[in-house]
Amino acid sequence: MASSGEEPRSSSPGPAGTGTEPPPAAGAQLDTAEDFEVLEEEEEEEEDLSELPPLEDVGRPPAPPREDTEQGRGEAAEEPQEWLDVLGSGLLKKKTLVPGQGVDTRPRKGQDVTVRLKATLEGGSVVEENPALTFTLGDCDVLQALDLCVQLLEMGETALIVSDAKYCYGAQGRSPDVPPNAALTLEVELLEARDAPDLELLSGKEKVELANRKRERGNFFYQQADYVLAINSYDIALKIVGSSSKVDFSPDEETELLDVKVKCLNNLAASQLKLDHYEAALKSCNLVLEHQPGNIKALFRKGKVLAQQGKYREAIPILKAALKLEPSNKTIHAELSKLVKKHADQKNVETEMYRKMLGNPSAAGAPGKCKDKLPWSIPWKWLFGATAIALGGVALSVVIAARN
């Protein structure tokens, strides 16, 4: 079991996905920021996160739109041709091509749904097809445009969805077939909706596979710089791993579940750190270190969190511990050197502040002032002291003489 990296990517796109792995997104890797370079190297060895999760795999196109609908619908035949502004912003619109079986047949969040899907660019080129894509509705397992609009489909309904890039592949796109900021048109037919499996009845292997799919989806959102949705996916994966079970797991399955948990917590901390949620990130790192005290990623990120909070004195020994585990790591070296300098500067500022509070001269000015005053101030003090003693002696002599 890897203590700090990510395992190889699964070829499964979702709870019951099919299809091949999409091509890698250019430059899309988990922890691509300079601060996470140390983590990139390990992930490249244990898991290639440059590939997008195949959760948007789609299949053969649905049946062509029919102009004639079932008899007896009357004027309702024209209504399906109207566009519905799903979010009220004009960025996500839905139009019914083939009516379904009624609003009572719409799927609910948390159910596993199966759809037939075809995705095309504005120019008409098909970028994804899937005859039976299955995913958990509301878990953001697929494109947001699909996840949001399938909730509005009736069983058997075929709809056209036109979506802005924001709810598809965003500013990064998906190399090589989906360019950046590309709008997509999705043709969708709802085939099936069923309740999701009971987590308590899943075997250890099934839990690992399901949790890994959610984690990989989180990695996709991380690559897209959508850290809020990444956190959502990692949280779902952690709930799956931590759910109670009525099934006994083998020692190997327990180890695999712990491995998935550690990976989710590490990536959760990375996402939280990106959003400046320092306390949450610190908690995630500490949970990893409870299971694996020598986890380099968790140590590095914990040091980063403490550094961001200005706690250099606490951060330095943690990064030293990480460096001890991997002495040749240049990123940890650089981060540690930077923190040591910041800590020294912080101490100097605090020392100067205390001097001012106590009314003492600054460190630079104090020696010079003392040196300038030394030849004159000490003799005058001695002179006044000697004069006072002499005058006191004369006065005492006068008093004694008067008494005699």
Side-chain angles (χ1 to χ4, degrees), residues 140-369:
C140 297
D141 289 344
V142 290
L143 294 177
Q144 281 186 275
L146 185 60
D147 203 28
L148 291 170
C149 291
V150 168
Q151 301 177 41
L152 304 175
L153 295 183
E154 300 170 6
M155 190 60 60
E157 177 182 351
T158 299
L160 203 62
I161 299 168
V162 177
S163 174
D164 182 79
K166 178 179 181 181
Y167 303 106
C168 296
Y169 289 103
Q172 295 187 14
R174 189 193 67 183
S175 179
D177 54 352
V178 180
N181 298 309
L184 288 181
T185 297
L186 311 175
E187 197 171 349
V188 189
E189 179 184 1
L190 179 59
L191 301 175
E192 184 183 9
R194 61 185 181 276
D195 291 338
D198 188 345
L199 295 179
E200 291 187 340
L201 301 180
L202 293 180
S203 67
K205 182 179 180 180
E206 289 171 329
K207 268 195 176 183
V208 168
E209 290 177 351
L210 181 57
N212 268 330
R213 286 198 292 269
K214 305 297 184 181
R215 178 184 60 81
E216 289 169 359
R217 189 60 183 169
N219 292 351
F220 167 78
F221 286 124
Y222 189 100
Q223 294 158 10
Q224 298 292 319
D226 196 335
Y227 306 116
V228 173
L229 289 181
I231 288 174
N232 177 70
S233 294
Y234 295 138
D235 278 336
I236 292 173
L238 288 169
K239 287 177 182 177
I240 294 170
V241 172
S243 62
S244 59
S245 180
K246 296 179 180 178
V247 180
D248 293 331
F249 299 151
S250 68
D252 287 343
E253 289 173 334
E254 292 283 2
T255 300
E256 288 182 31
L257 285 169
L258 178 59
D259 188 39
V260 176
K261 180 179 180 179
V262 167
K263 290 169 182 174
C264 288
L265 286 169
N266 257 330
N267 290 347
L268 180 62
S271 302
Q272 291 164 336
L273 187 55
K274 289 289 188 180
L275 295 174
D276 297 337
H277 296 171
Y278 299 132
E279 291 302 325
L282 190 60
K283 180 179 178 181
S284 298
C285 291
N286 285 334
L287 287 173
V288 173
L289 295 173
E290 285 179 10
H291 297 293
Q292 298 176 357
N295 190 292
I296 295 178
K297 287 185 180 181
L299 289 170
F300 183 80
R301 287 193 174 114
K302 183 175 181 179
K304 287 290 297 178
V305 170
L306 293 172
Q308 291 291 337
Q309 293 178 316
K311 300 177 181 179
Y312 305 127
R313 184 176 298 177
E314 298 177 40
I316 289 172
I318 292 174
L319 288 180
K320 284 183 177 179
L323 188 61
K324 186 176 181 180
L325 293 170
E326 196 171 323
S328 61
N329 192 288
K330 296 180 180 179
T331 303
I332 300 180
H333 269 291
E335 187 66 27
L336 187 57
S337 299
K338 183 170 65 176
L339 289 190
V340 169
K341 183 180 184 302
K342 286 184 177 181
H343 187 220
D345 294 341
Q346 186 185 60
K347 288 172 65 177
N348 291 336
V349 170
E350 290 176 353
T351 301
E352 185 63 25
M353 181 181 66
Y354 292 145
R355 282 184 178 143
K356 290 180 179 179
M357 289 174 61
L358 297 173
N360 293 335
S362 64
K369 291 179 180 179

Side-chain angles (χ1 to χ4, degrees), residues 383-394:
L383 179 59
F384 283 120
T387 302
I389 293 172
L391 291 174
V394 172

Side-chain angles (χ1 to χ4, degrees), residues 110-126:
Q111 286 188 316
D112 284 349
V113 297
T114 301
V115 300
R116 186 163 58 218
L117 181 83
K118 176 182 178 181
T120 59
L121 295 173
E122 288 181 328
S125 60
V126 178

